[in-house]
């Protein structure tokens, strides 16, 4: 079992839909959780990051962490064509340790 | 503020040639990371530096790969000799020391013919 599992998609939704992106993980030591957005031919850019369990909201984006289930989610409300990108989850245990990335989910929002 | 800067953006070369990728991290960041991204394997960490010192190079695929960080504002990743299976997008990222989210450059798209 890989440390981080993420459905690669592709996921195609109509504009205005609510999008749910998810990752599961196996390492219970993970405490820091991030979502990166990667546009075509660009580097990943940090979208959200959270520590431990709970929710974090930033505009149309909400990140959720359920440590008991080892499951994290990113919700996008009122999705826009500009949200079309690959979304990568990433996580880390405490300390200056490398991030472990999911393989990314490719999202297309159709106008 | 300038982000992480990588050069070249694209590199096409023939098998057996030496390839050098360059990275300038964000000023003030003390940790630097080199990643490789492919469709099959996703984003893989190759090596990371903390305060210019290599901390973990266990992700470097083989001895053909080497990385240096001679100062806080510059790092190189070298492949010698290059092989077609090295074709990928190589990213550099930097972060503040200690746990901080990493900030990525736009990558070098490498094609080995």
């Amino acid at each position: 079992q890989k440390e981080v599992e993420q459905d690669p998609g592709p996921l195609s939704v109509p504009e205005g839909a609510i999008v749910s992106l998810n990752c599961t993980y196996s390492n219970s030591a993970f405490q820091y959780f991030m979502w990166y957005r990667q546009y075509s031919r660009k580097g990943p850019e940090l979208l959200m990051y959270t520590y431990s369990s709970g929710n974090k909201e930033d505009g149309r984006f909400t990140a959720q962490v359920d440590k008991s289930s080892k499951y994290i989610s990113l919700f996008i409300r009122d999705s826009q064509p500009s949200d079309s990108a690959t979304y990568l989850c990433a996580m880390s245990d405490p300390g200056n340790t490398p991030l472990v990335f999911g393989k990314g989910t490719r999202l297309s929002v159709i106008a | 503020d300038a982000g992480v800067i990588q050069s070249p953006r694209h590199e096409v070369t023939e098998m057996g040639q030496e390839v050098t990728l360059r990275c300038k991290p964000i000023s003030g960041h003390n940790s630097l990371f080199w990643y490789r991204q492919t469709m099959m394997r996703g984003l893989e960490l190759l090596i990371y530096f903390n305060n210019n010192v290599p901390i973990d190079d266990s992700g470097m695929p083989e001895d053909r790969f080497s990385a240096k960080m001679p100062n806080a504002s510059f790092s190189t990743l070298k492949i010698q000799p290059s092989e077609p299976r090295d074709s990928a997008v190589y990213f550099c990222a930097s972060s503040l020391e200690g746990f901080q989210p990493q900030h990525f450059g736009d990558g070098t798209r490498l094609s080995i013919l």
Side-chain angles (χ1 to χ4, degrees), chain A residues 2 32-34 36 38 40-46 49 88 92-99 101-103 106, chain B residues 9-10 31 33 35 37 39-43 45 48 50 56 91 95 97-99 101-106 109:
Chain A
K2 294 189 176 182
Y32 298 94
F33 303 92
M34 279 140 281
Y36 282 81
Q38 186 175 18
S40 179
R41 296 184 177 269
K42 302 288 278 184
E45 59 175 321
L46 181 67
Y49 89 97
L88 300 102
S92 173
D93 57 28
N96 189 23
T97 56
L99 300 180
F101 284 86
K103 283 182 136 181
R106 190 170 178 181
Chain B
R9 290 297 313 276
H10 300 90
S31 294
F33 308 81
Y35 291 88
Q37 188 177 43
M39 290 291 291
M40 288 296 295
R41 301 174 69 91
L43 204 57
L45 179 67
Y48 81 95
N50 198 39
D56 184 356
F91 288 103
S95 72
E97 189 171 7
F99 175 76
Q102 296 172 24
H103 300 266
F104 284 77
D106 281 337
R109 187 170 296 269

Side-chain angles (χ1 to χ4, degrees), chain B residues 15-36:
Chain B
M15 182 175 64
Q17 297 297 307
E18 179 179 290
V19 173
T20 299
L21 312 181
R22 297 173 176 80
C23 175
K24 177 179 170 56
I26 293 172
S27 177
H29 282 192
N30 293 326
S31 294
L32 183 139
F33 308 81
W34 282 101
Y35 291 88
R36 178 171 67 178

Side-chain angles (χ1 to χ4, degrees), chain B residues 1-107:
Chain B
D1 285 342
V4 175
I5 299 172
Q6 291 187 245
S7 65
R9 290 297 313 276
H10 300 90
E11 175 88 11
V12 180
T13 192
E14 292 189 347
M15 182 175 64
Q17 297 297 307
E18 179 179 290
V19 173
T20 299
L21 312 181
R22 297 173 176 80
C23 175
K24 177 179 170 56
I26 293 172
S27 177
H29 282 192
N30 293 326
S31 294
L32 183 139
F33 308 81
W34 282 101
Y35 291 88
R36 178 171 67 178
Q37 188 177 43
T38 61
M39 290 291 291
M40 288 296 295
R41 301 174 69 91
L43 204 57
E44 301 174 281
L45 179 67
L46 300 177
I47 185 171
Y48 81 95
F49 295 83
N50 198 39
N51 293 320
N52 312 337
V53 176
I55 303 300
D56 184 356
D57 65 354
S58 59
M60 297 285 259
E62 42 196 283
D63 291 346
R64 298 184 296 105
F65 286 69
S66 62
K68 293 182 180 179
M69 191 165 186
N71 57 62
S73 58
F74 184 67
S75 177
T76 59
L77 177 68
K78 187 173 292 187
I79 309 172
Q80 166 64 22
S82 58
E83 296 183 4
R85 59 194 167 116
D86 301 330
S87 298
V89 183
Y90 290 80
F91 288 103
C92 176
S94 69
S95 72
L96 294 172
E97 189 171 7
F99 175 76
Q100 290 288 336
Q102 296 172 24
H103 300 266
F104 284 77
D106 281 337

Side-chain angles (χ1 to χ4, degrees), chain A residues 8-68:
Chain A
L11 181 62
S12 185
V13 302
E15 183 176 358
I18 296 174
V19 176
S20 173
L21 304 168
N22 311 294
C23 288
T24 59
Y25 63 94
S26 58
N27 187 347
S28 58
F30 288 149
Q31 295 278 355
Y32 298 94
F33 303 92
M34 279 140 281
W35 286 95
Y36 282 81
R37 178 175 62 194
Q38 186 175 18
Y39 291 115
S40 179
R41 296 184 177 269
K42 302 288 278 184
E45 59 175 321
L46 181 67
L47 200 57
M48 300 280 282
Y49 89 97
T50 55
Y51 172 73
S52 194
S53 287
N55 293 0
K56 184 172 182 178
E57 188 173 321
D58 184 1
R60 295 184 296 111
F61 299 89
T62 299
Q64 283 187 352
V65 176
D66 182 349
K67 290 192 68 184
S68 62

